[in-house]
Amino acid sequence: MRRLLVSLVLLVPPAHAAPVAFDTAVEQAFDRYRLPGLAVGIIEDGEIVYTRTLGEIEAGGGQPVDADTLFKIASNSKAMTTGVLARLVDAGKLDWDDPVTKYLPQFRMHDPWVTRNMQVRDLLIHNSGLGLGAGDLMLWPEPNRFTRADIIAGLAHLKPTHSFRSHYSYDNLLYVVAGEVAAVAGGAPYEELVKRELFRPLGLARCQVGEWNRAEVGNVAQPHMRTPQGNRVIRADGEVVPDMPSMAAGGIRCSLNDMLAWVGMWLSPDATPAWLSPAQRKAVWTPQMPMPVSARMRQWDDTHYSAYGYGWRLSDANGAWKVAHTGTLAGMYSSVILLPDQRTGIVILINGEGEAARTVLGQVLTDHFTAPAKTTSVAHYADLLEAERGKERASAASVVDTRARTPARASALNRMLGRYRDPWFGDVAICSEGKRVRFNAARSPMLAGTVMQAGGRWLVDWDDASVDAEPWLIFEAGDGGRGTLKLSHVDPAADFSYDFADLDFVWVAPCAESNSR
């Protein structure tokens, strides 16, 4: 079975045989969005018909991206986590409707009733009642000092925004919990389960999970952000890539060849009949939670329904059944699009600021199969997307111009200085350091910056430019003039994983005591 999958990956036609339309779209997306690196693969009728790689693993480094280059697949890891769980269901080691507490007695949600009734399936379909990205600050920015145990303990302090099972709201923390459920049921740590149940039987030879050595593995794409001087690496990997707590939600890395083998397995189940039963293949792709159909989906794909399965988004595109997911991390973007009835799949991997490129390129390639009569291009969809975002920016009247900012003076903040504590995020210190007032999070060292004053309000200017969502600091006096601290987004369109609104800090100690610990 492994030899069969490897052979499928190797049956790539030469570049001169690749459809001109694919080459044109890939090159236009790469150029328009000034990407550092890009890898694209297409399967049609169960066969790999196209692969293309462009750019470098590190901008200016000289090593080109190829089909074996490792990329962070981010939230496309979720489908791998549910694949492992489905294998455990086939093996009789768990059921989708088992209570989570059967495997993790320490598991708690804010509402005890929800704790008792949360099933394994509920961990996977974004119906928990938590708000969008609730608690993600325990996962990102990486690296940080949170553990999986911290994440499970922190869930009890996250207040719901909706009732249980009533509303779709994307979350990541419960996939971390799902990984720990799998570990208990499968009798091995999550990363070992992924290797045992997925990588080895499917021949995904380059994929990495858990801790690994960058130099030994080699050919690892690094994330980039775009600057006026061009693409630059951010959050570069060290010699050893650690086992991050976010692994089950978004921490796996794979190459284009690996992802094509993964996609090919789903599109051609007869090639690997022993890997997963028909019943569990159906379960994974069964709609579990309704999702909203956006105006863009209606206009671009003529979509009529949208739902979430187990780690996959399910919808229709121009009358074709579509199974897909995206992955987003700082400086890394991925997309997997499947058209199961056509046995067709698309994989896109990017190591730069590629959200728009992923959207536009994925749409053009999908149209090729679902609406071949349409005359569309990268430029067409890029212009539509820019117009859409222009309207969003114009309507964001609450965005304040903060360019006229000055460092806050300790005397102005006065008794608001000190150490504050949130029950799930832990401590932050807002204290004088030299002539500046600094914000430092104890368990998230990348959340460090200078407190600035802008128009009579306070915000944090982060030290690391890759931390790209600034918070307002909202102090409320308590007894003796010291009380609480809340945070909110300066830019309402900031990434939802900076879930500042879920933080509820209380003053606990003066700076002198904070600095002595």
Side-chain angles (χ1 to χ4, degrees):
M1 179 171 61
R2 177 172 176 172
R3 287 196 300 270
L4 173 61
L5 283 166
V6 172
S7 68
L8 284 174
V9 171
L10 295 177
L11 289 173
V12 181
H16 64 267
V20 174
F22 296 160
D23 269 336
T24 299
V26 169
E27 291 168 6
Q28 288 178 348
F30 181 78
D31 292 339
R32 177 153 186 156
Y33 293 103
R34 294 175 288 143
L35 302 175
L38 171 66
V40 179
I42 298 174
I43 294 174
E44 184 175 7
D45 195 23
E47 299 289 337
I48 298 172
V49 298
Y50 180 81
T51 62
R52 185 72 189 276
T53 60
L54 294 167
E56 300 172 305
I57 66 171
E58 294 187 41
Q63 183 173 347
V65 169
D66 61 33
D68 286 323
T69 298
L70 288 184
F71 288 79
K72 296 179 181 180
I73 65 170
S75 285
N76 275 300
S77 305
K78 289 180 169 67
M80 294 190 173
T81 296
T82 62
V84 169
L85 287 165
R87 290 263 293 177
L88 296 176
V89 173
D90 266 345
K93 295 182 178 180
L94 65 77
D95 289 317
W96 297 114
D97 57 359
D98 280 344
V100 176
T101 53
K102 175 179 178 180
Y103 303 96
L104 301 174
Q106 74 276 29
F107 172 78
R108 297 287 185 276
M109 295 295 284
H110 191 266
D111 185 323
W113 187 90
V114 175
T115 299
R116 293 192 301 273
N117 288 278
M118 181 78 76
Q119 299 175 350
V120 173
R121 72 175 72 250
D122 295 309
L123 299 174
L124 312 173
I125 58 178
H126 310 297
N127 69 350
S128 66
L130 293 176
L132 181 64
D136 274 2
L137 286 171
M138 287 189 282
L139 300 178
W140 300 291
E142 293 174 329
N144 60 46
R145 300 183 181 118
F146 289 95
T147 66
R148 292 180 175 92
D150 291 332
I151 290 165
I152 293 172
L155 280 164
H157 301 288
L158 289 166
K159 298 176 183 178
T161 58
H162 301 84
S163 58
F164 183 39
R165 296 178 180 152
S166 71
H167 182 86
Y168 172 86
S169 190
Y170 193 83
D171 76 75
N172 290 293
L173 296 193
L174 293 178
Y175 266 82
V176 176
V177 177
E180 294 306 282
V181 167
V184 173
Y190 170 80
E191 63 273 18
E192 291 304 317
L193 280 181
V194 174
K195 295 173 186 176
R196 184 185 84 192
E197 303 292 337
L198 201 153
F199 292 174
R200 286 196 284 270
L202 296 180
L204 307 186
R206 289 280 297 159
C207 286
Q208 298 295 322
V209 65
E211 182 180 296
W212 48 281
N213 186 287
R214 176 184 174 186
E216 291 175 1
V217 171
N219 196 6
V220 183
Q222 296 301 292
H224 294 73
M225 70 180 297
R226 195 177 297 119
T227 72
Q229 293 74 40
N231 288 299
R232 73 169 180 85
V233 173
I234 58 171
R235 306 184 190 181
D237 292 317
E239 180 181 355
V240 175
V241 177
D243 177 12
M244 297 293 191
S246 62
M247 200 64 63
I252 294 174
R253 302 198 205 190
C254 290
S255 69
L256 178 62
N257 278 339
D258 288 325
M259 293 302 290
L260 288 171
W262 168 245
V263 166
M265 179 275 299
W266 288 104
L267 295 174
S268 301
D270 291 344
T272 55
W275 187 75
L276 198 63
S277 69
Q280 292 314 312
R281 286 178 180 272
K282 180 180 179 181
V284 168
W285 283 358
T286 295
Q288 300 287 337
M289 188 66 197
M291 294 175 60
V293 176
S294 69
R296 186 196 303 166
M297 293 170 70
R298 288 287 291 168
Q299 293 165 7
W300 291 15
D301 276 335
D302 192 26
T303 298
H304 294 80
Y305 91 97
S306 180
Y308 206 88
Y310 295 152
W312 295 94
R313 297 186 181 111
L314 314 168
S315 64
D316 62 305
N318 301 304
W321 179 29
K322 177 180 173 183
V323 179
H325 214 287
T326 54
T328 302
L329 285 170
M332 283 275 183
Y333 289 79
S334 68
S335 180
V336 172
I337 302 166
L338 308 183
L339 304 170
D341 291 338
Q342 301 180 28
R343 296 175 67 218
T344 290
I346 299 163
V347 175
I348 300 171
L349 304 171
I350 301 171
N351 65 333
E353 291 188 46
E355 182 177 11
R358 174 184 66 188
T359 299
V360 168
L361 180 57
Q363 188 65 39
V364 171
L365 298 179
T366 301
D367 282 352
H368 178 87
F369 298 103
T370 65
K374 288 172 65 175
T375 302
T376 58
S377 66
V378 165
H380 169 77
Y381 284 117
D383 291 345
L384 288 178
L385 194 61
E386 287 177 12
E388 178 184 313
R389 292 181 174 176
K391 291 179 181 178
E392 291 173 354
R393 287 191 294 269
S395 65
S398 58
V399 178
V400 177
D401 186 349
T402 62
R403 288 174 294 182
R405 59 178 68 183
T406 56
R409 293 175 298 172
S411 58
L413 286 166
N414 197 8
R415 293 176 65 81
M416 293 180 285
L417 299 177
R419 192 173 80 240
Y420 292 79
R421 180 169 297 157
D422 175 85
W424 60 267
F425 186 71
D427 287 8
V428 300
I430 302 177
C431 298
S432 297
E433 294 183 18
K435 295 182 179 180
R436 302 292 176 98
V437 175
R438 299 280 294 165
F439 179 107
N440 289 285
R443 290 199 285 179
S444 189
M446 290 190 70
L447 294 182
T450 299
V451 178
M452 310 291 285
Q453 186 170 5
R457 301 179 69 180
W458 316 103
L459 62 82
V460 182
D461 187 344
W462 302 117
D463 297 340
D464 193 315
S466 71
V467 182
D468 55 358
E470 294 179 330
W472 292 116
L473 303 180
I474 305 162
F475 299 95
E476 295 184 5
D479 294 339
R482 290 165 172 163
T484 63
L485 168 66
K486 295 186 181 298
L487 277 64
S488 67
H489 288 116
V490 172
D491 181 358
D495 190 288
F496 64 78
S497 284
Y498 294 102
D499 58 315
F500 299 140
D502 293 315
L503 297 167
D504 193 7
F505 290 104
V506 174
W507 189 96
V508 293
C511 286
E513 183 176 343
S514 173
N515 292 337
S516 67
R517 292 190 177 190

